[in-house]
Amino acid sequence: MLFAALLIIMLPNPWALLAGLVFGGAGAAATYGTMSGMAQSSQRRTQALTDDQESLRQELASLTETIRTRSDKLPPSTQGQLRMMVVGLEEIVERWSTLERLPEQQDAVRMTITRHLPRTLELFLELPDSAKPTHAREFKEQVGLLAEAVAKTRDTVVAKNLQALRTNRWLLEESLTDPDEKLFRDHGL
């Protein structure tokens, strides 16, 4: 469009035609470069998100396997809480893009999955069986802290999805409601 505008304005002058070609071509190249860069950036971001989700899913599968196979070494009072925590983490990872605007929560979830929960399990499972009943209370408190943090993050993710659903409902109502009917209804007629 820039090329066409410059061509029409400067048509009588041959040097102006050349200038129109150069500036129009430069404008087209800049537009193409910008659009191409945005598309590539979006693809890289989507790929990074997918890779991140996949690695977290693998970590969660490993945690689930550890909890399942070593459940006889864990206090019975923590087993259900551990399973629910893993389910909550799986839900968060499934909605990972929801946390894109909350990087501190993404980091907290990532650290919980890759470091805090595995380390907590590892430390307790490495205790001698005779010492486990003595330290079960401490382990239960640590699991409780982790479970509370996961529940808060899960609630944040679900609340964002619920807000998006409510916004969508409002938009649907606005777009599908007859304007005259809305006017009468708003004025109690």
Side-chain angles (χ1 to χ4, degrees):
M1 289 177 36
L2 180 62
F3 169 74
L6 286 175
L7 183 64
I8 291 171
I9 292 172
M10 300 179 183
L11 192 57
N13 187 342
W15 290 105
L17 180 61
L18 182 61
L21 283 172
V22 169
F23 286 113
T31 302
Y32 174 76
T34 301
M35 298 303 285
S36 176
M38 287 173 35
Q40 289 175 358
S41 174
S42 177
Q43 286 175 344
R44 279 193 301 268
R45 193 170 40 250
T46 301
Q47 186 60 40
L49 181 67
T50 303
D51 291 347
D52 205 18
Q53 276 182 305
E54 189 55 39
S55 72
L56 291 173
R57 284 184 188 120
Q58 290 173 357
E59 289 285 334
L60 284 169
S62 174
L63 285 170
T64 300
E65 184 66 19
T66 300
I67 292 168
R68 188 180 61 74
T69 58
R70 311 272 315 266
S71 65
D72 59 327
K73 304 286 185 189
L74 297 170
S77 61
T78 61
Q79 292 177 17
Q81 198 170 23
L82 285 167
R83 286 188 195 107
M84 290 304 296
M85 187 181 345
V86 170
V87 168
L89 288 167
E90 287 171 345
E91 285 182 36
I92 293 168
V93 170
E94 284 302 314
R95 297 176 175 141
W96 196 244
S97 61
T98 305
L99 291 177
E100 213 169 20
R101 296 187 192 273
L102 301 168
E104 67 283 348
Q105 288 196 354
Q106 273 188 333
D107 289 341
V109 170
R110 188 178 295 108
M111 291 299 290
T112 299
I113 293 171
T114 61
R115 186 170 179 197
H116 301 313
L117 184 55
R119 183 74 177 141
T120 301
L121 285 168
E122 176 186 324
L123 288 172
F124 185 77
L125 291 171
E126 287 178 354
L127 290 173
D129 288 344
S130 60
K132 285 181 181 162
T134 307
H135 300 287
R137 178 181 213 84
E138 176 64 27
F139 177 70
K140 184 177 179 179
E141 288 176 14
Q142 290 179 24
V143 168
L145 286 171
L146 288 170
E148 186 178 326
V150 168
K152 284 180 184 176
T153 302
R154 185 190 163 281
D155 291 347
T156 299
V157 170
V158 170
K160 287 198 170 296
N161 285 350
L162 184 59
Q163 183 60 39
L165 187 62
R166 286 183 181 141
T167 301
N168 188 53
R169 177 177 176 244
W170 179 79
L171 290 172
L172 285 173
E173 285 176 348
E174 285 294 315
S175 67
L176 297 175
T177 302
D178 180 28
D180 294 332
E181 180 183 330
K182 185 178 183 312
L183 182 66
F184 285 114
R185 189 179 50 216
D186 288 348
H187 288 79
L189 302 172

